[in-house]
Structure formats: structure tokens, C-alpha cells
């Protein structure tokens, strides 16, 4: 617990030591913490995106829950058919503070929902059966010049509905494509989008 406290405290202290800009930016540019922002929940508190993906037949999304040879354990009726046709994913970033040193702090979440009922080389359907959700969350501190210090926790795959049980010999468990992990890292953002 002490190690986690230090991991979170050091970047926070570093960001407080970074000198804030004293002047307002030119017209048309974001002001990032100017005097007009509210202290809590400024107008740009939430940022994110959502995406819907469709995987064509013979290219299904593999959350690594069923073995690639799942069709050998029952053919088209094999119980382990968790290869996805559809994915709904996104990210939500929340920056709750508009002024002061905490304006550089944010929390984020990134879920990915998988749907489908397919078995490689055996069964290809357009079914929208719920498979599960892969999600991660974390916190970040903006350090200046496009750099962010980030702590991310990625969880095991959560199965949904009737698939939340062992599905026979081809079932590999809930580790998902990456398993469970936590990372500490630095992200560098650069460039400006045209839109």
C-alpha cells in the first residue's frame, strides 16, 4: 500500500512544481485553467470517444477465452463459441478540477464489450450474443509539454449472461487477451487534429 501511495504521490508533487503559465492563450486556443473556469467540474470535465467495430467472417475478434481448436470439441455445437463478431469500445476521461494544481489530474476508464457466437474454421454467424467486457481504468497527471504520468489497472475479462461459467475443455478461463496487470507509464501527446 505504501508503494502505491508513493507511485501516486510523486507525479502529483512533480506536477505541482511545474510552473503554470501566467498569461491567457491567444483567442481561439484552449485556456486550460484560466480564471474563467470553475474550480470543480469545469465545462471541459468530460472527454472521450466510442467506437463500434464489425469483424468480417474468418477474421473474428479473439478474446482468448476459448482455444483456437474449440470446434474439435463438438463441431458447430461446441459450447465454447466466444469469438466475437462485434465490439463496442471507448474511453472516458474525467478532469474534475478547473483551477489550481489539481487541474492537471484526471481519471479514465476504457471498456470494450464483445458480442458474437463463432468458432474458427467451424461456425460463422452474425449472432449478437453477449460475450463479455474487457475494461481498464486509471489516473494521470499532466506534467507539461504534452507529457502525462499514467497509472493503469487492467482487469480480467468479465463474462456476461449464460457464458459466465466453464464452457468445456476448450475454455481457457477469464484471462482475456492480456490477463490482469497494472502499469506505470509516461504518455507523450503531439500534433494537432485538423477537426
Amino acid at each position: 500500500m505504501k508503494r502505491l501511495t508513493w507511485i501516486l504521490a510523486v507525479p502529483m508533487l512533480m506536477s505541482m512544481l511545474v510552473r503554470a503559465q501566467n498569461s491567457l492563450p491567444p483567442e481561439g486556443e484552449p485556456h486550460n485553467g484560466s480564471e474563467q473556469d470553475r474550480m470543480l467540474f469545469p465545462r471541459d470535465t468530460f472527454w472521450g470517444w466510442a467506437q463500434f467495430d464489425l469483424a468480417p467472417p474468418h477474421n473474428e475478434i479473439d478474446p482468448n477465452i476459448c482455444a483456437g481448436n474449440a470446434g474439435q470439441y463438438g463441431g458447430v455445437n461446441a459450447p465454447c463459441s466466444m469469438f466475437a463478431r462485434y465490439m463496442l469500445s471507448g474511453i472516458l476521461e474525467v478532469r474534475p478540477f478547473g483551477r489550481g494544481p489539481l487541474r492537471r489530474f484526471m481519471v479514465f476508464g476504457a471498456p470494450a464489450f464483445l458480442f458474437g457466437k463463432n468458432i474458427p474454421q467451424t461456425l460463422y454467424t452474425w449472432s449478437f450474443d453477449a460475450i463479455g467486457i474487457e475494461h481498464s481504468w486509471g489516473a494521470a497527471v499532466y506534467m507539461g509539454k504534452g507529457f502525462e504520468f499514467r497509472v493503469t489497472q487492467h482487469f480480467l475479462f468479465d463474462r456476461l449472461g449464460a457464458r459466465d461459467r466453464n464452457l468445456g475443455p476448450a475454455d481457457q478461463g477469464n484471462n482475456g487477451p492480456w490477463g490482469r496487470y497494472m502499469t506505470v507509464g509516461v504518455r507523450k501527446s503531439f500534433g494537432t487534429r485538423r477537426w
Side-chain angles (χ1 to χ4, degrees):
M1 188 64 182
K2 285 184 178 182
R3 182 179 295 168
L4 181 60
T5 304
W6 279 109
I7 288 173
L8 295 174
V10 169
M12 184 67 75
L13 292 172
M14 287 175 49
S15 71
M16 289 180 186
L17 296 175
V18 175
R19 197 176 84 195
Q21 293 180 343
N22 293 329
S23 62
L24 292 174
E27 190 68 32
E29 290 185 23
H31 54 282
N32 295 331
S34 72
E35 294 300 320
Q36 293 121 3
D37 274 344
R38 294 186 304 210
M39 177 61 180
L40 291 175
F41 303 109
R43 64 185 162 95
D44 62 347
T45 296
F46 300 101
W47 179 90
W49 53 264
Q51 179 173 331
F52 180 77
D53 293 300
L54 167 69
H58 304 278
N59 291 293
E60 287 75 21
I61 301 163
D62 182 3
N64 201 30
I65 294 172
C66 296
N69 64 349
Q72 293 177 1
Y73 302 101
V76 296
N77 296 318
C80 203
S81 59
M82 298 205 302
F83 295 87
R85 173 81 57 222
Y86 312 98
M87 181 169 63
L88 179 61
S89 59
I91 191 165
L92 176 65
E93 295 181 355
V94 179
R95 292 176 175 82
F97 304 104
R99 287 185 290 168
L102 289 177
R103 77 177 189 278
R104 297 171 175 265
F105 172 77
M106 78 161 181
V107 292
F108 60 89
F113 296 90
L114 299 177
F115 305 92
K117 182 179 180 182
N118 301 286
I119 303 171
Q121 313 274 319
T122 308
L123 177 67
Y124 298 100
T125 71
W126 294 97
S127 170
F128 209 86
D129 288 354
I131 294 175
I133 178 173
E134 183 116 34
H135 51 96
S136 61
W137 67 273
V141 175
Y142 182 74
M143 297 187 302
K145 299 197 184 284
F147 286 96
E148 288 178 2
F149 176 82
R150 298 172 70 91
V151 177
T152 305
Q153 173 67 55
H154 185 274
F155 296 95
L156 294 179
F157 193 86
D158 292 327
R159 298 182 189 195
L160 300 174
R163 295 175 170 188
D164 191 14
R165 60 184 174 82
N166 187 296
L167 299 173
D171 194 326
Q172 300 185 104
N174 287 349
N175 288 337
W178 306 104
R180 183 176 182 151
Y181 64 87
M182 184 196 123
T183 59
V184 177
V186 176
R187 174 181 285 183
K188 167 67 174 154
S189 301
F190 54 90
T192 313
R193 293 194 169 171
R194 292 184 181 188
W195 57 88

